[in-house]
Amino acid sequence: MSDASLPGLAEAARRDLPLILDDLRRLVEKETPSSDKRLLDAGLEDIEAWAVERLGAPAERVRRDGGVHGDVLEMLYPGDGGGEVLLLCHYDTVWPEGTLEEWPVGIDGDRFSGPGCFDMKAGIVQGVWAVKTLRDAGLPLPSIRFLFNGDEEVGSPASSPHIEHAGRAADVTLVLEPSREGMVKTGRKGMGLFDVTATGIESHAGLDPQAGASAVHALAELVPRMAALAAPERGTTVNVGVFSGGTARNVVAGKASCQVDVRIQDPEEPARVDAGLAALAPSDGRVKVEVSGGWNRPPMNPGPATDRAFGLAREVAAGLGEDLGQISVGGASDGNLVAALGRPVLDGLGAAGAGPHSRDEHVSIGRTPHQVALLSGLLTRLSEG
C-alpha cells in the first residue's frame, strides 16, 4: 500500500461518518451489562446481525457458551493478503440495566455520549467499518477474526481460554479498547483480585467484651501490611478498595472482609505478593484469616514483535498526517492474555474520547474517521507481511 492511499481511507471514513454514528447509536442503545445474561445474549445477537449487514456472512462462525457470563462469538473473514489478524472486542459494559432511561444517547458538538460508547462499543463499530472501508477501496486485507466477548469488565472468566487460543493462531492481535488521548497502548499492568476475610468471636461489647475477638479490629490491623506490599519502584500497587464487617455497634464483630486490587508490571512480582498475603496474621491469634481470589491477568510488556507492529502503525499515522504515540497504562485488558503468550499485541486502537466508567464517557466524533483510517491502514499494511 502506498502512503497516497491513506488520505483516501480517511476521506471515505469522513463520508461514512453519519452511518458510523448511526451504527454506534444502535449498539449503545442495546444495554449489555456484564451481570445480565439475558441482555448480553440479546446484545450479541444484534451485534452479529449488524456485522453481517455490513460485511456479509463470515466464512467461519462459532458462538461459545459463556455460562452465567456473556457468550463468545468468533467471526472469520478471509483476506486477499497474507496472515491473520485477531480483532479483540468486548461488548459488555459496566452500566446496569436502565441506565439509558436516565442517560440516553446524545450528541453535543464533538461529543457522542451514552453508556458504554467509549468503552468499548465505538471500538466494535470502528473495527467493522475499517474492514468495510478497505473492501470498498479495493485494498488488500489479511484474514480478519473478530472475537466478541461479554465478560471483559469482570475479568474474562469464561472467554480467557478462547482469547488465548485465537491469539496463538493470529499473526498480530489488535485490541479495540479506547485509545489514551489518541495514543496506542503497548503496555498494561497485570492484575490480581483478592478477598481477605477475618473470622473472630462475637460477644456483647458492653457486658462481655473480653470474650470476643473482633474481626474488624484484626482486619484493620492487617490493612497497612497489605498496603506495604506495594513496590512503586517495580510498578506494583496495592489498593484495599472495599472494607466491611460487623453486625451492630454493640457487638464485637465476628466477621470482616476486604477487597484488594493489586497491579504489577514485573512478571516476577506475583510470588512475592502471594507470600506476603499468605503471611497475614493478626496479633489476636483467636482471629482466623483467609485469602481467596488470585491473579486475573498477567502484565502486558512490549517485546520486539510488538515494537515492529507499533512501527507499522506509526508509519500509517504519519501518512495520515499525525505522529502516533505509545503509552503504558495501569489498567488491564484482554490484550494482556495474548501478550503473555509472547504474541504481538497493540491495544487502544479503538475510540478517541474520554471518561471510561464515568458519566463523562464520550467519543470524539471528529476523531472517529481518523481512528477508522488508522486501523484500516494498519490492517492493509499487515497483509503485506
Side-chain angles (χ1 to χ4, degrees):
M1 179 195 69
S2 69
D3 287 348
S5 303
L6 292 170
L9 294 175
E11 179 56 37
R14 283 191 289 270
R15 179 197 66 218
D16 292 329
L17 183 58
L19 294 175
I20 294 171
L21 296 179
D22 285 347
D23 287 353
L24 179 54
R25 177 183 292 272
R26 171 175 172 169
L27 266 61
V28 173
E29 289 184 342
K30 285 280 189 180
E31 292 182 304
T32 50
S34 303
S35 59
D36 194 314
K37 177 70 168 177
R38 175 182 60 85
L39 291 177
L40 289 167
D41 284 348
L44 184 56
E45 288 167 7
D46 188 62
I47 287 171
E48 181 175 6
W50 161 76
V52 170
E53 289 172 16
R54 290 301 184 202
L55 300 178
E60 296 178 15
R61 179 264 187 200
V62 59
R63 178 166 171 166
R64 296 183 172 90
D65 183 12
V68 299
H69 303 288
D71 290 354
V72 178
L73 175 65
E74 293 185 39
M75 303 173 73
L76 177 66
Y77 290 91
D80 47 13
E84 178 175 311
V85 174
L86 173 63
L87 297 183
L88 277 185
C89 315
H90 73 83
Y91 60 93
D92 63 318
T93 77
V94 299
W95 301 102
E97 181 180 13
T99 302
L100 274 170
E101 295 178 11
E102 55 194 61
W103 178 23
V105 171
I107 293 178
D108 182 11
D110 185 53
R111 295 165 58 104
F112 181 108
S113 66
C117 66
F118 184 57
D119 186 12
M120 60 161 285
K121 290 185 175 178
I124 297 174
V125 172
Q126 291 172 190
V128 168
W129 272 94
V131 174
K132 185 179 187 314
T133 300
L134 282 176
R135 283 181 169 182
D136 291 346
L139 292 172
L141 266 167
S143 292
I144 303 293
R145 183 179 299 276
F146 288 95
L147 189 150
F148 304 102
N149 63 308
D151 60 350
E152 192 274 344
E153 297 290 6
V154 293
S156 305
S159 61
S160 291
H162 307 302
I163 291 168
E164 291 169 347
H165 183 267
R168 285 190 186 95
D171 295 290
V172 179
T173 294
L174 305 179
V175 187
L176 303 188
E177 290 275 8
S179 71
R180 179 70 172 267
E181 298 176 353
M183 291 182 283
V184 172
K185 300 168 184 175
T186 52
R188 285 184 178 271
K189 287 191 176 183
M191 181 170 61
L193 304 174
F194 300 92
D195 295 307
V196 182
T197 302
T199 303
I201 302 170
E202 287 187 339
S203 70
H204 194 294
L207 297 177
D208 200 11
Q210 300 307 316
S214 174
V216 167
H217 294 183
L219 193 58
E221 175 190 349
L222 296 179
V223 168
R225 298 185 203 172
M226 294 182 234
L229 292 172
E233 72 281 4
R234 301 178 195 169
T236 301
T237 61
V238 178
N239 180 62
V240 179
V242 177
F243 189 113
S244 60
T247 56
R249 189 193 305 270
N250 60 352
V251 177
V252 175
K255 284 279 189 181
S257 63
C258 65
Q259 297 176 9
V260 186
D261 178 293
V262 183
R263 306 288 170 126
I264 60 167
Q265 199 73 63
D266 183 343
E268 302 299 321
E269 278 289 85
R272 183 186 68 84
V273 173
D274 285 343
L277 292 175
L280 292 173
S283 56
D284 189 336
R286 296 174 297 167
V287 179
K288 306 303 179 187
V289 174
E290 179 185 2
V291 179
S292 59
W295 295 98
N296 178 260
R297 291 186 177 95
M300 179 177 125
N301 294 317
T306 291
D307 291 341
R308 286 192 293 272
F310 174 72
L312 288 178
R314 193 171 189 190
E315 290 175 8
V316 171
L320 292 168
E322 294 198 1
D323 183 17
L324 182 64
Q326 61 179 317
I327 191 170
S328 180
V329 298
S333 84
D334 289 328
N336 292 57
L337 300 171
V338 179
L341 304 173
R343 307 298 296 159
V345 177
L346 291 182
D347 202 335
L349 282 162
H357 297 195
S358 79
R359 291 298 179 110
D360 186 52
E361 180 175 11
H362 66 276
V363 172
S364 169
I365 295 171
R367 290 287 300 178
T368 297
H370 174 85
Q371 295 299 108
V372 172
L374 175 63
L375 182 56
S376 295
L378 178 56
L379 289 174
T380 197
R381 285 296 302 272
L382 289 170
S383 74
E384 298 169 359

